[in-house]
Amino acid sequence: SLKAGIVGLPNVGKSTLFNAVVENGKAQAANFPFCTIEPNVGIVAVPDSRLQVLSKLTNSQKVVPASIEFVDIAGLVKGASQGEGLGNKFLSHIREVDSILQVVRCFEDNDIVHVNGKVDPTSDIDVINLELIFCDLDQIGKRLDRLNKGKPKDSQSKVKEEAEKSALQRIQEALLDGKPARSVALNDLEKDAVKHLCLLTMKPMIYVANVAETDLADPDKNSFVQQVKALSSDLQSGHVVVSAQVESELTELPLDERTEYLNSLGVSESGLGNLIRATYSLLGLQTYFTSGEKETRAWTIHAGMTAPQAASVIHSDFEKGFIRAETVAYEDFVSAGSLAAARDKGLLRSEGKEYIVKEGDVMLFRFNV
Ligand code: GDP
């Protein structure tokens, strides 16, 4: 599944948020094989109210939500790229994730020490960016040295290496200017050529502004949140506001008391849904469904995938043997009330190999085995 790494300076609320995400995932999906693989890795269900609706319409025996793997990556401190703290170990964990969630402290609490003495999101974000940038610069420097020394094997590798060099030089310039690699415009060939380096500042990043419970109703009043928003757009990143503390308290409450507690804080839903949705949209991910008596299930794909590619997420054989897909939009399925009714009304379409799957499509694949 998709991997999101939670990073941030010490004492900003990373573990609190991670634990809340994992506990909440367990509560939301009683029959989902969620798990905590290691103390710092948790697989959680992606909340999606459409699943229950579909499962009722098709009398499904079970519901299987999409999942995201969250990794709590501790150890990012000033100097990590030079081997301070957990240093390299930390950086190798971060290299493996698909997206980075950076928790930024936006709450004041004199009892909880801030590593730099005061709450200052701009400085915190700078510190972490610099560590990631140092690490990328180091890697790019080594790679360029190697490319400059070696000779390409053939003309095809020459084209690829030239593309890589040109891309790396531009990325290097951006990094030296304090900008992340993801801010550099690359063509498809260049993107492909630098992919193997897994540059840290190339990964999509979401800033998670961790606010006090009293700020949830109107987070923009908090000047720290304003700083995070402004920086996140400068840095080609997303942002969400949560209160890790509130999320953690919510997990202690019975489900039916959670809404009441949220309402008392002036909000209607938990921030975790927002966090997951932001991760999805930043990564360009979307959901399609399969639904029948056996199960109703959400599948995660990249926006723009064709029907056979979407089918391959279920099983790789489905792509090879793909014949066609019977497809109905979620809203159309719900308004028709059943697959048969949707077919009668002409809402269930038969789509071929070229069909680009849309968000919320309910699909039935026909294939040869
Ligand atoms: P980490 O070092 O980033 O993993 O931080 P922790 O999650 O361990 O949190 C550090 C301390 O801050 C703990 O005592 C938390 O209870 C507290 N904390 C976390 N989030 C909040 C919050 O939103 N408000 C307040 N007041 N305290 C928080």
Side-chain angles (χ1 to χ4, degrees):
S1 59
L2 178 76
K3 259 194 189 181
I6 301 179
V7 305
L9 292 176
N11 271 355
V12 297
K14 292 183 301 296
S15 318
T16 309
L17 182 71
F18 173 79
N19 291 330
V21 165
V22 172
E23 286 307 313
N24 186 64
K26 287 181 188 174
Q28 296 287 331
N31 58 359
F32 178 67
F34 66 80
C35 48
T36 310
I37 305 172
E38 287 172 53
N40 67 330
V41 183
I43 295 183
V44 302
V46 176
D48 191 331
S49 57
R50 295 172 296 184
L51 281 166
Q52 300 304 330
V53 178
L54 282 176
S55 76
K56 285 214 179 79
L57 292 178
T58 55
N59 284 317
S60 300
Q61 284 160 19
K62 83 177 179 187
V63 169
V64 186
S67 61
I68 297 191
E69 195 173 316
F70 282 93
V71 191
D72 183 5
I73 306 178
L76 187 43
V77 292
K78 200 170 186 158
S81 59
Q82 319 297 319
E84 294 288 325
L86 296 173
N88 290 335
K89 183 153 182 261
F90 157 81
L91 294 164
S92 67
H93 281 302
I94 209 169
R95 220 173 272 298
E96 291 167 17
V97 301
D98 303 296
S99 69
I100 303 175
L101 309 179
Q102 181 181 335
V103 181
V104 184
R105 178 159 162 183
C106 293
F107 66 88
E108 302 212 64
D109 187 330
N110 292 331
D111 294 334
I112 296 162
V113 176
H114 186 287
V115 275
N116 294 329
K118 68 173 173 32
V119 179
D120 184 347
T122 304
S123 148
D124 289 6
I125 287 175
D126 277 352
V127 167
I128 292 207
N129 270 338
L130 275 181
E131 293 309 321
L132 302 179
I133 284 176
F134 282 147
C135 187
D136 281 352
L137 276 173
D138 184 48
Q139 222 195 341
I140 291 176
K142 285 181 188 150
R143 179 66 186 159
L144 282 174
D145 276 352
R146 202 167 309 149
L147 286 171
N148 287 331
K149 273 186 206 136
K151 273 220 160 63
K153 287 194 298 282
D154 49 47
S155 62
Q156 202 185 347
S157 19
K158 185 164 182 210
V159 172
K160 200 164 175 193
E161 289 192 5
E162 288 304 321
E164 184 177 354
K165 254 194 246 176
S166 150
L168 290 181
Q169 278 156 358
R170 273 143 56 216
I171 293 173
Q172 200 173 35
E173 260 169 52
L175 294 172
L176 289 169
D177 204 20
K179 298 196 186 90
R182 62 181 169 277
S183 68
V184 178
L186 299 178
N187 64 32
D188 288 345
L189 180 63
E190 290 167 337
K191 270 186 207 156
D192 196 48
V194 300
K195 208 189 239 163
H196 70 105
L197 289 171
C198 300
L199 295 174
L200 304 180
T201 64
M202 191 73 103
K203 294 178 190 291
M205 169 93 101
I206 296 175
Y207 289 101
V208 183
N210 185 14
V211 300
E213 58 184 40
T214 45
D215 279 337
L216 272 184
D218 191 359
D220 285 335
K221 273 201 192 138
N222 177 327
S223 67
F224 298 137
V225 173
Q226 288 169 9
Q227 287 178 39
V228 173
K229 279 193 179 175
L231 279 170
S232 76
S233 81
D234 283 352
L235 294 164
Q236 269 85 10
S237 310
H239 68 266
V240 285
V241 175
V242 300
S243 169
Q245 183 103 335
V246 168
E247 297 307 330
S248 154
E249 285 163 11
L250 281 173
T251 64
E252 316 257 302
L253 290 177
L255 282 174
D256 56 342
E257 286 174 29
R258 293 185 185 183
T259 310
E260 203 180 323
Y261 178 51
L262 285 168
N263 291 343
S264 78
L265 298 173
V267 289
S268 57
E269 57 168 0
S270 143
L272 299 184
N274 275 339
L275 184 63
I276 290 172
R277 278 191 291 275
T279 307
Y280 258 60
S281 85
L282 198 70
L283 291 177
L285 298 174
Q286 60 184 42
T287 305
Y288 78 86
F289 302 100
T290 51
S291 186
E293 262 181 45
K294 202 172 128 243
E295 65 177 29
T296 291
R297 183 159 182 164
W299 303 91
T300 302
I301 56 168
H302 288 276
M305 276 190 169
T306 60
Q309 287 171 332
S312 76
V313 173
I314 302 180
H315 197 293
S316 54
D317 289 348
F318 281 23
E319 182 169 7
K320 273 182 272 160
F322 180 90
I323 303 172
R324 58 180 210 280
E326 312 241 37
T327 309
V328 52
Y330 168 80
E331 288 79 15
D332 288 344
F333 192 173
V334 174
S335 74
S338 73
L339 212 54
R343 184 178 285 121
D344 289 346
K345 292 186 172 168
L347 297 170
L348 183 72
R349 310 176 316 270
S350 177
E351 300 283 1
K353 287 198 164 97
E354 312 295 319
Y355 178 66
I356 306 286
V357 176
K358 295 195 186 67
E359 170 63 37
D361 274 352
V362 183
M363 310 197 70
L364 191 66
F365 295 107
R366 305 273 175 219
F367 56 92
N368 284 318
V369 276

